[in-house]
Amino acid sequence: MGHIAGPPEWLDAQQRLTGFQEELRSRQLDPRFVEIGDWSAASGHRAARALIEQGVTAIFSGNDQMALGALSAAVSLGMTVPGDLSIVGFDDVPEAAYYQPALTTVRQDLAEAGRRAVALLLGEADVRPAVDPELIERASTGAPPERPRPEC
């Protein structure tokens, strides 16, 4: 599994990269397949091509725009999504449901995050600052492709 990270100087990108690496390590999987993007579809396209060349069969993208670039890269290489490659974005932009295939993505309730931030600024002690993200499953993810077994 690979990750297309956002710019390293962005806190959101750092947190998503850390979460990706920690989750893979907790499952005894290799977290080293990471390419850096700049939040644009073009950078997602470049990063996805590099990850695909390294043999990844799934990509978690730091935002939906880079995931759109990853979808484009897969198609340009003759791959099917999710048959050959699964892709997950982050943000659940309104267009994500209309990508081809529709993009599986992580949604954050930004309005709720804003309400909690204001409540914290106003000194409300019983407010939990973090808002739990929600996975929105659509058509861009599936079971990993079957790999031929090496001859013994």
PDB file of all heavy atoms in Angstrom, residues 105-129:
ATOM      1  N   THR A 105     -13.499   7.825   0.004  1.00  0.00           N
ATOM      2  CA  THR A 105     -12.791   8.951   0.604  1.00  0.00           C
ATOM      3  C   THR A 105     -13.092   9.043   2.098  1.00  0.00           C
ATOM      4  O   THR A 105     -13.986   8.365   2.605  1.00  0.00           O
ATOM      5  CB  THR A 105     -13.180  10.266  -0.119  1.00  0.00           C
ATOM      6  OG1 THR A 105     -12.399  11.352   0.364  1.00  0.00           O
ATOM      7  CG2 THR A 105     -14.643  10.590   0.030  1.00  0.00           C
ATOM      8  N   VAL A 106     -12.346   9.870   2.770  1.00  0.00           N
ATOM      9  CA  VAL A 106     -12.540  10.117   4.197  1.00  0.00           C
ATOM     10  C   VAL A 106     -13.165  11.503   4.342  1.00  0.00           C
ATOM     11  O   VAL A 106     -12.643  12.482   3.806  1.00  0.00           O
ATOM     12  CB  VAL A 106     -11.201  10.045   4.969  1.00  0.00           C
ATOM     13  CG1 VAL A 106     -11.414  10.371   6.441  1.00  0.00           C
ATOM     14  CG2 VAL A 106     -10.568   8.675   4.795  1.00  0.00           C
ATOM     15  N   ARG A 107     -14.284  11.549   5.043  1.00  0.00           N
ATOM     16  CA  ARG A 107     -15.004  12.808   5.244  1.00  0.00           C
ATOM     17  C   ARG A 107     -14.735  13.336   6.644  1.00  0.00           C
ATOM     18  O   ARG A 107     -14.768  12.591   7.617  1.00  0.00           O
ATOM     19  CB  ARG A 107     -16.499  12.587   5.060  1.00  0.00           C
ATOM     20  CG  ARG A 107     -17.333  13.841   5.343  1.00  0.00           C
ATOM     21  CD  ARG A 107     -18.820  13.530   5.293  1.00  0.00           C
ATOM     22  NE  ARG A 107     -19.209  13.115   3.950  1.00  0.00           N
ATOM     23  CZ  ARG A 107     -20.298  12.381   3.684  1.00  0.00           C
ATOM     24  NH1 ARG A 107     -21.076  11.964   4.665  1.00  0.00           N
ATOM     25  NH2 ARG A 107     -20.595  12.052   2.452  1.00  0.00           N
ATOM     26  N   GLN A 108     -14.501  14.639   6.725  1.00  0.00           N
ATOM     27  CA  GLN A 108     -14.407  15.327   8.011  1.00  0.00           C
ATOM     28  C   GLN A 108     -15.581  16.295   8.093  1.00  0.00           C
ATOM     29  O   GLN A 108     -15.889  16.967   7.112  1.00  0.00           O
ATOM     30  CB  GLN A 108     -13.130  16.149   8.100  1.00  0.00           C
ATOM     31  CG  GLN A 108     -11.865  15.359   8.082  1.00  0.00           C
ATOM     32  CD  GLN A 108     -10.689  16.283   8.253  1.00  0.00           C
ATOM     33  OE1 GLN A 108     -10.165  16.420   9.337  1.00  0.00           O
ATOM     34  NE2 GLN A 108     -10.269  16.928   7.185  1.00  0.00           N
ATOM     35  N   ASP A 109     -16.192  16.380   9.242  1.00  0.00           N
ATOM     36  CA  ASP A 109     -17.276  17.332   9.437  1.00  0.00           C
ATOM     37  C   ASP A 109     -16.647  18.675   9.817  1.00  0.00           C
ATOM     38  O   ASP A 109     -16.409  18.963  10.999  1.00  0.00           O
ATOM     39  CB  ASP A 109     -18.227  16.828  10.529  1.00  0.00           C
ATOM     40  CG  ASP A 109     -19.453  17.708  10.700  1.00  0.00           C
ATOM     41  OD1 ASP A 109     -19.457  18.863  10.201  1.00  0.00           O
ATOM     42  OD2 ASP A 109     -20.412  17.233  11.339  1.00  0.00           O
ATOM     43  N   LEU A 110     -16.356  19.485   8.790  1.00  0.00           N
ATOM     44  CA  LEU A 110     -15.654  20.747   9.026  1.00  0.00           C
ATOM     45  C   LEU A 110     -16.506  21.759   9.790  1.00  0.00           C
ATOM     46  O   LEU A 110     -15.976  22.539  10.581  1.00  0.00           O
ATOM     47  CB  LEU A 110     -15.169  21.337   7.700  1.00  0.00           C
ATOM     48  CG  LEU A 110     -14.143  20.479   6.957  1.00  0.00           C
ATOM     49  CD1 LEU A 110     -13.771  21.123   5.629  1.00  0.00           C
ATOM     50  CD2 LEU A 110     -12.904  20.241   7.810  1.00  0.00           C
ATOM     51  N   ALA A 111     -17.810  21.718   9.580  1.00  0.00           N
ATOM     52  CA  ALA A 111     -18.681  22.629  10.333  1.00  0.00           C
ATOM     53  C   ALA A 111     -18.617  22.308  11.830  1.00  0.00           C
ATOM     54  O   ALA A 111     -18.518  23.214  12.668  1.00  0.00           O
ATOM     55  CB  ALA A 111     -20.117  22.542   9.819  1.00  0.00           C
ATOM     56  N   GLU A 112     -18.643  21.020  12.158  1.00  0.00           N
ATOM     57  CA  GLU A 112     -18.538  20.618  13.566  1.00  0.00           C
ATOM     58  C   GLU A 112     -17.173  20.983  14.140  1.00  0.00           C
ATOM     59  O   GLU A 112     -17.059  21.431  15.278  1.00  0.00           O
ATOM     60  CB  GLU A 112     -18.811  19.128  13.732  1.00  0.00           C
ATOM     61  CG  GLU A 112     -18.695  18.620  15.163  1.00  0.00           C
ATOM     62  CD  GLU A 112     -19.676  19.272  16.131  1.00  0.00           C
ATOM     63  OE1 GLU A 112     -20.711  19.826  15.704  1.00  0.00           O
ATOM     64  OE2 GLU A 112     -19.403  19.226  17.346  1.00  0.00           O
ATOM     65  N   ALA A 113     -16.121  20.805  13.349  1.00  0.00           N
ATOM     66  CA  ALA A 113     -14.779  21.190  13.806  1.00  0.00           C
ATOM     67  C   ALA A 113     -14.742  22.683  14.107  1.00  0.00           C
ATOM     68  O   ALA A 113     -14.157  23.117  15.107  1.00  0.00           O
ATOM     69  CB  ALA A 113     -13.737  20.813  12.757  1.00  0.00           C
ATOM     70  N   GLY A 114     -15.374  23.473  13.268  1.00  0.00           N
ATOM     71  CA  GLY A 114     -15.434  24.919  13.503  1.00  0.00           C
ATOM     72  C   GLY A 114     -16.201  25.266  14.766  1.00  0.00           C
ATOM     73  O   GLY A 114     -15.776  26.124  15.556  1.00  0.00           O
ATOM     74  N   ARG A 115     -17.335  24.593  14.977  1.00  0.00           N
ATOM     75  CA  ARG A 115     -18.116  24.833  16.203  1.00  0.00           C
ATOM     76  C   ARG A 115     -17.290  24.506  17.447  1.00  0.00           C
ATOM     77  O   ARG A 115     -17.293  25.246  18.432  1.00  0.00           O
ATOM     78  CB  ARG A 115     -19.393  23.996  16.186  1.00  0.00           C
ATOM     79  CG  ARG A 115     -20.498  24.570  15.318  1.00  0.00           C
ATOM     80  CD  ARG A 115     -21.818  23.834  15.517  1.00  0.00           C
ATOM     81  NE  ARG A 115     -21.830  22.527  14.877  1.00  0.00           N
ATOM     82  CZ  ARG A 115     -22.049  22.314  13.585  1.00  0.00           C
ATOM     83  NH1 ARG A 115     -22.266  23.320  12.791  1.00  0.00           N
ATOM     84  NH2 ARG A 115     -22.058  21.093  13.098  1.00  0.00           N
ATOM     85  N   ARG A 116     -16.577  23.394  17.400  1.00  0.00           N
ATOM     86  CA  ARG A 116     -15.767  22.998  18.551  1.00  0.00           C
ATOM     87  C   ARG A 116     -14.613  23.974  18.777  1.00  0.00           C
ATOM     88  O   ARG A 116     -14.261  24.269  19.923  1.00  0.00           O
ATOM     89  CB  ARG A 116     -15.235  21.576  18.373  1.00  0.00           C
ATOM     90  CG  ARG A 116     -16.338  20.538  18.457  1.00  0.00           C
ATOM     91  CD  ARG A 116     -15.812  19.149  18.318  1.00  0.00           C
ATOM     92  NE  ARG A 116     -16.895  18.181  18.217  1.00  0.00           N
ATOM     93  CZ  ARG A 116     -16.718  16.888  18.243  1.00  0.00           C
ATOM     94  NH1 ARG A 116     -15.499  16.372  18.371  1.00  0.00           N
ATOM     95  NH2 ARG A 116     -17.742  16.070  18.137  1.00  0.00           N
ATOM     96  N   ALA A 117     -14.022  24.468  17.713  1.00  0.00           N
ATOM     97  CA  ALA A 117     -12.930  25.438  17.852  1.00  0.00           C
ATOM     98  C   ALA A 117     -13.429  26.710  18.527  1.00  0.00           C
ATOM     99  O   ALA A 117     -12.778  27.242  19.440  1.00  0.00           O
ATOM    100  CB  ALA A 117     -12.325  25.756  16.490  1.00  0.00           C
ATOM    101  N   VAL A 118     -14.595  27.183  18.119  1.00  0.00           N
ATOM    102  CA  VAL A 118     -15.167  28.386  18.741  1.00  0.00           C
ATOM    103  C   VAL A 118     -15.485  28.110  20.205  1.00  0.00           C
ATOM    104  O   VAL A 118     -15.193  28.935  21.084  1.00  0.00           O
ATOM    105  CB  VAL A 118     -16.418  28.860  17.967  1.00  0.00           C
ATOM    106  CG1 VAL A 118     -17.166  29.936  18.745  1.00  0.00           C
ATOM    107  CG2 VAL A 118     -16.019  29.376  16.586  1.00  0.00           C
ATOM    108  N   ALA A 119     -16.063  26.950  20.494  1.00  0.00           N
ATOM    109  CA  ALA A 119     -16.388  26.608  21.887  1.00  0.00           C
ATOM    110  C   ALA A 119     -15.129  26.575  22.747  1.00  0.00           C
ATOM    111  O   ALA A 119     -15.134  27.054  23.891  1.00  0.00           O
ATOM    112  CB  ALA A 119     -17.109  25.267  21.942  1.00  0.00           C
ATOM    113  N   LEU A 120     -14.045  26.043  22.208  1.00  0.00           N
ATOM    114  CA  LEU A 120     -12.784  26.022  22.960  1.00  0.00           C
ATOM    115  C   LEU A 120     -12.267  27.430  23.198  1.00  0.00           C
ATOM    116  O   LEU A 120     -11.792  27.755  24.292  1.00  0.00           O
ATOM    117  CB  LEU A 120     -11.735  25.187  22.218  1.00  0.00           C
ATOM    118  CG  LEU A 120     -11.938  23.676  22.262  1.00  0.00           C
ATOM    119  CD1 LEU A 120     -11.001  22.973  21.286  1.00  0.00           C
ATOM    120  CD2 LEU A 120     -11.716  23.152  23.675  1.00  0.00           C
ATOM    121  N   LEU A 121     -12.366  28.280  22.178  1.00  0.00           N
ATOM    122  CA  LEU A 121     -11.926  29.668  22.330  1.00  0.00           C
ATOM    123  C   LEU A 121     -12.757  30.409  23.367  1.00  0.00           C
ATOM    124  O   LEU A 121     -12.253  31.305  24.047  1.00  0.00           O
ATOM    125  CB  LEU A 121     -12.001  30.404  20.991  1.00  0.00           C
ATOM    126  CG  LEU A 121     -10.960  30.000  19.961  1.00  0.00           C
ATOM    127  CD1 LEU A 121     -11.264  30.642  18.613  1.00  0.00           C
ATOM    128  CD2 LEU A 121      -9.559  30.385  20.425  1.00  0.00           C
ATOM    129  N   LEU A 122     -14.016  30.026  23.494  1.00  0.00           N
ATOM    130  CA  LEU A 122     -14.894  30.653  24.473  1.00  0.00           C
ATOM    131  C   LEU A 122     -14.754  30.041  25.865  1.00  0.00           C
ATOM    132  O   LEU A 122     -15.441  30.452  26.793  1.00  0.00           O
ATOM    133  CB  LEU A 122     -16.353  30.573  24.003  1.00  0.00           C
ATOM    134  CG  LEU A 122     -16.656  31.364  22.724  1.00  0.00           C
ATOM    135  CD1 LEU A 122     -18.086  31.103  22.274  1.00  0.00           C
ATOM    136  CD2 LEU A 122     -16.411  32.853  22.951  1.00  0.00           C
ATOM    137  N   GLY A 123     -13.879  29.050  25.983  1.00  0.00           N
ATOM    138  CA  GLY A 123     -13.576  28.482  27.289  1.00  0.00           C
ATOM    139  C   GLY A 123     -14.490  27.384  27.756  1.00  0.00           C
ATOM    140  O   GLY A 123     -14.497  27.052  28.946  1.00  0.00           O
ATOM    141  N   GLU A 124     -15.253  26.794  26.875  1.00  0.00           N
ATOM    142  CA  GLU A 124     -16.123  25.693  27.273  1.00  0.00           C
ATOM    143  C   GLU A 124     -15.251  24.471  27.551  1.00  0.00           C
ATOM    144  O   GLU A 124     -14.569  23.960  26.678  1.00  0.00           O
ATOM    145  CB  GLU A 124     -17.151  25.397  26.187  1.00  0.00           C
ATOM    146  CG  GLU A 124     -18.128  26.536  25.983  1.00  0.00           C
ATOM    147  CD  GLU A 124     -19.152  26.252  24.902  1.00  0.00           C
ATOM    148  OE1 GLU A 124     -19.371  25.073  24.568  1.00  0.00           O
ATOM    149  OE2 GLU A 124     -19.720  27.228  24.397  1.00  0.00           O
ATOM    150  N   ALA A 125     -15.266  24.005  28.789  1.00  0.00           N
ATOM    151  CA  ALA A 125     -14.347  22.956  29.238  1.00  0.00           C
ATOM    152  C   ALA A 125     -14.735  21.558  28.776  1.00  0.00           C
ATOM    153  O   ALA A 125     -13.886  20.687  28.686  1.00  0.00           O
ATOM    154  CB  ALA A 125     -14.246  22.983  30.764  1.00  0.00           C
ATOM    155  N   ASP A 126     -15.996  21.323  28.498  1.00  0.00           N
ATOM    156  CA  ASP A 126     -16.433  19.960  28.202  1.00  0.00           C
ATOM    157  C   ASP A 126     -16.416  19.634  26.702  1.00  0.00           C
ATOM    158  O   ASP A 126     -17.034  18.667  26.265  1.00  0.00           O
ATOM    159  CB  ASP A 126     -17.831  19.712  28.775  1.00  0.00           C
ATOM    160  CG  ASP A 126     -18.875  20.645  28.182  1.00  0.00           C
ATOM    161  OD1 ASP A 126     -18.497  21.693  27.613  1.00  0.00           O
ATOM    162  OD2 ASP A 126     -20.065  20.324  28.285  1.00  0.00           O
ATOM    163  N   VAL A 127     -15.688  20.398  25.917  1.00  0.00           N
ATOM    164  CA  VAL A 127     -15.647  20.190  24.470  1.00  0.00           C
ATOM    165  C   VAL A 127     -14.442  19.334  24.101  1.00  0.00           C
ATOM    166  O   VAL A 127     -13.318  19.610  24.513  1.00  0.00           O
ATOM    167  CB  VAL A 127     -15.557  21.545  23.726  1.00  0.00           C
ATOM    168  CG1 VAL A 127     -15.426  21.323  22.235  1.00  0.00           C
ATOM    169  CG2 VAL A 127     -16.776  22.391  24.043  1.00  0.00           C
ATOM    170  N   ARG A 128     -14.699  18.276  23.332  1.00  0.00           N
ATOM    171  CA  ARG A 128     -13.625  17.446  22.806  1.00  0.00           C
ATOM    172  C   ARG A 128     -13.204  18.076  21.472  1.00  0.00           C
ATOM    173  O   ARG A 128     -14.025  18.217  20.571  1.00  0.00           O
ATOM    174  CB  ARG A 128     -14.116  16.019  22.604  1.00  0.00           C
ATOM    175  CG  ARG A 128     -13.020  15.036  22.227  1.00  0.00           C
ATOM    176  CD  ARG A 128     -13.542  13.608  22.167  1.00  0.00           C
ATOM    177  NE  ARG A 128     -14.482  13.398  21.089  1.00  0.00           N
ATOM    178  CZ  ARG A 128     -14.149  12.966  19.871  1.00  0.00           C
ATOM    179  NH1 ARG A 128     -12.908  12.678  19.585  1.00  0.00           N
ATOM    180  NH2 ARG A 128     -15.060  12.804  18.949  1.00  0.00           N
ATOM    181  N   PRO A 129     -11.927  18.457  21.325  1.00  0.00           N
ATOM    182  CA  PRO A 129     -11.531  19.202  20.124  1.00  0.00           C
ATOM    183  C   PRO A 129     -11.540  18.391  18.834  1.00  0.00           C
ATOM    184  O   PRO A 129     -11.851  18.919  17.776  1.00  0.00           O
ATOM    185  CB  PRO A 129     -10.115  19.680  20.445  1.00  0.00           C
ATOM    186  CG  PRO A 129      -9.640  18.820  21.543  1.00  0.00           C
ATOM    187  CD  PRO A 129     -10.854  18.332  22.277  1.00  0.00           C
TER     188      PRO A 129
END
